């Protein structure tokens, strides 16, 4: 019995000693960790925007006049010279104004002749009736023109300011009719000739009418719209009888037929671009994508509101890109433009999960010579998900990956799994 008891005690002692020795052995073993050895690579950060191939140099021609088109001097597709006539507007309204001014001057000269002799009441009545006729004729003309122009304003052909100007002219013309009618009543009621103004008045009125006629004649000469560019006419679809408004787009003139790509870039990204930046142009051709280089040649100075494919309103700026050559582009086709915002050769790209705050910056856990080491790092480029390090500096690093063991400490022996 006694012998058996000692055997049990001995066995328990062996187990206890073995356990202690095992735990001591385990404690002396390196801590097992997951590691990663990065290799330097070329890293690019970029984004795409869709552009359109367009004729490089086009100039827009806008109307410097407003009115009804009498003649058209060009047609789409033809070549036009700088300063060549595009269209002629109807001068009927101006011709009427000129006749009205000529009639006014004739009446004025008649009055002046009457001053040289004693005018009879009947002569003055006849002259005053002529003044009333001219005043009514002008009022009727302005009323008819106002109704015609209102229709054009509703269609957006002429600006509202022209309607307001005509309304003021019509009001003045109707007031003139009332004044001339009142003067006729005065002559009739008095039964005696009305004293006429002196020669200075007639001279001043005659000079004023002459100046008005001179201005009308100049306007008639300017009723021919000319082209401000030389080249091939495009998008011209105006016919005699059409109305054009002041500042209306008439046509495009292709000055140079080489193509460029116009792409609209969000305002938060366009600030990083500059003329001369290299880009990549990609065009889908069947199952393949054709690629060629390009250079940014022009960046707009105004943002435009544009609706994205997702229905979101974005502010974008026009950027023009000149193809470097290679594949031929087709006017109007879609071109994907690749803008590179950052590029680094021999870079080490890591997940931001590998980094942790350290002192004034960030650091990594490294496995170096069998021990854990905290390695502060200098980030060359970073986003919300990745960090870029200098590949020459980080070459040969063995990075300890999270999640980290609870007991991990600098200088501790560790071993990669």
């Amino acid at each position: 019995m006694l012998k058996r008891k000692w055997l049990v005690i001995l066995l328990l002692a062996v187990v206890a000693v073995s356990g202690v020795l095992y735990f001591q052995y385990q404690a002396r073993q390196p801590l097992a960790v997951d590691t990663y050895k990065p290799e330097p690579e070329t890293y690019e950060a970029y984004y795409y925007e869709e552009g359109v191939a367009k004729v490089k140099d086009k100039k827009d021609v806008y109307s410097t006049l407003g009115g009804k088109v009498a003649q058209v001097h060009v047609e789409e597709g033809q070549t036009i010279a700088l300063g060549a006539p595009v269209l002629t507007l109807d001068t009927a309204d101006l011709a009427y104004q000129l006749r009205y001014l000529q009639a006014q001057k004739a009446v004025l000269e008649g009055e002046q002749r009457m001053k040289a002799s004693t005018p009879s009441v009947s002569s003055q009545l006849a002259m005053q009736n002529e003044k009333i006729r001219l005043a009514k004729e002008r009022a009727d003309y302005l009323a008819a023109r106002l109704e015609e122009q209102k229709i054009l304003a509703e269609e957006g052909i002429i600006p509202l300011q022209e309607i307001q100007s005509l309304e003021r002219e019509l009001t003045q013309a109707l007031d003139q009719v009332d004044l001339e009618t009142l003067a006729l009543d005065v002559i009739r009621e008095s039964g005696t000739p009305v004293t006429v103004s002196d020669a200075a008045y007639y001279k001043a009125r005659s000079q004023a009418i002459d100046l008005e006629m001179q201005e009308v004649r100049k306007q008639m000469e300017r009723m021919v719209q000319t082209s401000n560019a030389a080249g091939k006419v495009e998008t011209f679809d105006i016919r005699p009888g059409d109305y054009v408004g002041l500042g209306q787009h008439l046509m495009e003139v292709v000055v140079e037929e080489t193509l460029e790509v116009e792409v609209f870039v969000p305002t938060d990204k366009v600030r990083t671009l500059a003329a001369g930046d290299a880009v990549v142009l990609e065009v889908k051709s069947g199952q393949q994508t054709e690629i060629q280089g390009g250079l940014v040649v022009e960046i707009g100075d105004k943002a435009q509101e544009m609706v994205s494919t997702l229905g979101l309103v974005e502010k974008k700026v026009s950027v023009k890109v000149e193809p470097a050559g290679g594949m031929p582009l087709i006017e109007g086709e879609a071109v994907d433009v690749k803008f590179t915002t950052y590029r680094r050769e021999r870079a080490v790209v890591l997940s931001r999960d590998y980094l942790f705050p350290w002192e004034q910056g960030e650091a990594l856990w490294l496995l170096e010579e069998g021990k854990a080491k905290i390695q502060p790092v200098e980030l060359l480029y970073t986003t919300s998900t990745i960090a870029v390090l200098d590949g020459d500096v980080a070459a040969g690093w063995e990075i300890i990956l999270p999640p980290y063991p609870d007991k991990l400490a600098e200088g501790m022996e560790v071993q990669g799994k």
Side-chain angles (χ1 to χ4, degrees):
M1 260 319 263
L2 185 60
K3 185 177 180 181
R4 193 178 202 184
K5 179 179 177 182
W6 280 108
L7 285 173
V8 171
I9 292 172
L10 182 61
L11 181 60
L12 291 173
V14 170
V15 171
V17 171
S18 299
V20 170
L21 292 175
Y22 174 78
F23 283 113
Q24 288 179 344
Y25 170 79
Q26 286 292 100
R28 288 196 298 269
Q29 292 303 304
L31 191 65
V33 292
D34 292 320
T35 61
Y36 164 64
K37 292 182 179 180
E39 293 292 335
E41 60 182 298
T42 298
Y43 174 78
E44 278 188 343
Y46 57 86
Y47 63 92
Y48 280 93
E49 294 292 341
E50 185 177 282
V52 177
K54 292 185 174 182
V55 172
K56 182 177 181 180
D57 196 355
K58 279 186 180 181
K59 289 192 176 179
D60 294 304
V61 178
Y62 294 90
S63 175
T64 57
L65 311 163
K68 186 178 181 180
V69 177
Q71 287 180 283
V72 172
H73 305 289
V74 298
E75 61 182 18
E76 190 166 334
Q78 82 169 66
T79 300
I80 191 171
L82 178 65
V86 177
L87 51 82
T88 301
L89 296 185
D90 192 346
T91 59
D93 291 339
L94 292 174
Y96 167 77
Q97 291 182 42
L98 186 59
R99 290 195 303 271
Y100 175 75
L101 291 169
Q102 290 168 340
Q104 271 193 322
K105 187 172 182 180
V107 171
L108 191 68
E109 290 171 347
E111 280 188 1
Q112 193 173 12
R113 285 193 299 270
M114 287 172 59
K115 187 180 184 300
S117 59
T118 303
S120 64
V121 173
S122 60
S123 298
Q124 282 203 338
L125 287 173
M127 188 66 68
Q128 193 60 36
N129 278 319
E130 178 61 16
K131 286 184 177 182
I132 293 172
R133 184 189 71 78
L134 287 174
K136 286 183 175 179
E137 181 179 314
R138 177 159 178 76
D140 291 342
Y141 160 75
L142 289 172
R145 180 166 171 75
L146 178 60
E147 292 305 313
E148 181 184 74
Q149 297 297 91
K150 280 182 177 179
I151 295 173
L152 299 179
E154 289 173 0
E155 295 176 356
I157 297 175
I158 63 172
L160 185 61
Q161 289 86 337
E162 289 194 25
I163 300 299
Q164 294 169 342
S165 177
L166 273 175
E167 287 175 339
R168 287 193 293 271
E169 285 188 58
L170 177 58
T171 300
Q172 292 170 1
L174 291 172
D175 289 343
Q176 188 64 33
V177 172
D178 291 340
L179 287 173
E180 301 296 357
T181 302
L182 180 61
L184 180 65
D185 292 340
V186 170
I187 296 172
R188 283 175 176 166
E189 290 174 4
S190 65
T192 57
V194 176
T195 304
V196 190
S197 314
D198 59 17
Y201 164 78
Y202 289 109
K203 182 179 180 181
R205 283 290 298 127
S206 179
Q207 288 177 342
I209 292 174
D210 284 342
L211 286 174
E212 286 188 68
M213 288 194 293
Q214 183 180 351
E215 181 59 31
V216 170
R217 289 191 179 99
K218 286 182 179 178
Q219 288 185 38
M220 293 177 75
E221 292 173 1
R222 291 198 299 264
M223 295 305 274
V224 177
Q225 169 74 52
T226 58
S227 176
N228 60 356
K232 181 181 176 183
V233 175
E234 282 193 357
T235 63
F236 183 77
D237 188 25
I238 295 175
R239 299 289 180 267
D242 292 346
Y243 282 86
V244 296
L246 181 64
Q248 178 179 331
H249 184 264
L250 299 179
M251 64 183 185
E252 292 178 335
V253 176
V254 178
V255 180
E256 187 179 346
E257 293 201 45
T258 56
L259 296 180
E260 65 183 2
V261 176
E262 183 178 28
V263 58
F264 288 88
V265 178
T267 52
D268 61 330
K269 295 178 179 177
V270 79
R271 295 180 184 279
T272 64
L273 298 179
D277 284 354
V279 299
V280 176
L281 306 179
E282 300 181 6
V283 177
K284 292 181 176 59
S285 177
Q287 300 298 317
Q288 297 181 337
T289 298
E290 297 182 0
I291 298 175
Q292 69 169 303
L295 290 176
V296 173
V297 293
E298 183 181 325
I299 300 173
D301 55 4
K302 290 184 180 179
Q304 303 178 36
E305 284 194 348
M306 307 186 77
V307 180
S308 70
T309 53
L310 299 176
L312 302 176
V313 177
E314 298 179 291
K315 286 189 178 293
K316 293 189 172 186
V317 176
S318 170
V319 174
K320 292 181 179 178
V321 176
E322 183 175 304
M327 64 177 177
L329 296 176
I330 301 171
E331 184 179 1
E333 75 176 336
V335 180
D336 290 324
V337 183
K338 179 184 176 182
F339 295 93
T340 300
T341 57
Y342 180 81
R343 177 183 171 85
R344 177 81 179 194
E345 295 183 0
R346 290 193 56 78
V348 165
V349 184
L350 303 175
S351 167
R352 285 199 63 88
D353 293 338
Y354 301 173
L355 302 171
F356 56 87
W358 181 256
E359 295 182 348
Q360 302 301 315
E362 295 182 86
L364 295 164
W365 278 111
L366 296 185
L367 194 165
E368 188 175 283
E369 297 180 352
K371 294 183 179 181
K373 175 186 176 182
I374 294 176
Q375 177 64 54
V377 294
E378 180 182 351
L379 305 182
L380 302 180
Y381 180 83
T382 182
T383 70
S384 59
T385 57
I386 62 99
V388 178
L389 281 62
D390 187 333
D392 292 329
V393 173
W397 283 359
E398 187 171 358
I399 300 170
I400 299 175
L401 303 180
Y404 307 117
D406 294 336
K407 297 179 181 180
L408 184 63
E410 191 166 22
M412 178 180 287
E413 291 188 354
V414 292
Q415 180 177 349
K417 291 181 181 179

